[in-house]
Amino acid sequence: MRQIRQVRWLRANGRAGLPVTALLALSLGAGGAVVAQARPAVASGVLPGPVTPAARMTEPVTPKTAHLRITEGQVGEVGPGGTIRYPAVTSCLTVTVRLQDGGKVGAHASLFQVPGEYRSDRILAAVKQRIGARGVREVEVRGAVGAWDPSYFTRAIESYAAGEPVPVPTGPDPEGLARAVADGLGEPQGKVTVEDLPDGDQTVD
């Protein structure tokens, strides 16, 4: 199997973990089994995700806070002037949708699913539901661009059966990621920008 050339260290609970390639190999070696999930309650303006293939309706929009922390696999929203903080963006990608009214909808897409949260092939649909009929000004994708194959937004790593080949990126594909995000949100690709950022926290004002 091809290896991801750019090795990035994952963090779990604030500690350095295995590199992306090692975790991918472990995941595939385990047969691509999906971890059993629990469904947490909505809190702090963050919308937790489903773990079943069937689509669901978004819960009622929670109050928009001035400052919001969105962790792996979560989707949240802040009103005009609000700030979104994405902690520990190592192997992840963040998707921030800037709305015409000045608000922001954010998603912290995880390469490997976090129990009880959205996996990579469901998170864009959750963002689109959250946006609703509101106008989108621009979409910013930031994070570990080199660790992501664009197809992870339509088919998560966990969805592959044992022995089934999983696409592994051989290098950054910002154009492919922009196209996948645009398609997932139903927005023109010209509204989407992609930036490879060093590991760490991200703050979007």
Side-chain angles (χ1 to χ4, degrees), residues 55-69:
R56 65 165 176 78
M57 295 301 293
T58 304
E59 286 93 341
V61 175
T62 52
K64 302 174 183 63
T65 58
H67 305 285
L68 182 63
R69 182 175 181 267

Side-chain angles (χ1 to χ4, degrees), residues 105-153:
V105 175
H108 192 151
S110 180
L111 190 64
F112 297 95
Q113 186 179 16
V114 173
E117 308 295 358
Y118 288 108
R119 72 185 196 185
S120 63
D121 56 0
R122 308 230 175 98
I123 200 162
L124 293 179
V127 173
K128 185 176 180 180
Q129 284 184 335
R130 193 75 181 239
I131 294 168
R134 292 175 292 176
V136 172
R137 181 159 51 91
E138 59 184 326
V139 181
E140 301 168 354
V141 180
R142 307 287 183 265
V145 172
W148 281 70
D149 186 281
S151 67
Y152 296 162
F153 279 117

Side-chain angles (χ1 to χ4, degrees), residues 12-97:
N13 299 322
R15 298 189 299 274
L18 294 174
V20 172
T21 48
L23 282 179
L24 180 56
L26 289 173
S27 175
L28 298 178
V34 179
V35 180
Q37 308 297 320
R39 187 175 181 182
V42 176
S44 302
V46 176
L47 184 62
V51 294
T52 57
R56 65 165 176 78
M57 295 301 293
T58 304
E59 286 93 341
V61 175
T62 52
K64 302 174 183 63
T65 58
H67 305 285
L68 182 63
R69 182 175 181 267
I70 301 179
T71 60
E72 293 182 40
Q74 293 184 338
V75 172
E77 178 180 356
V78 292
T83 298
I84 295 177
R85 179 172 176 266
Y86 302 103
V89 181
T90 53
S91 64
C92 306
L93 287 178
T94 66
V95 179
T96 304
V97 179

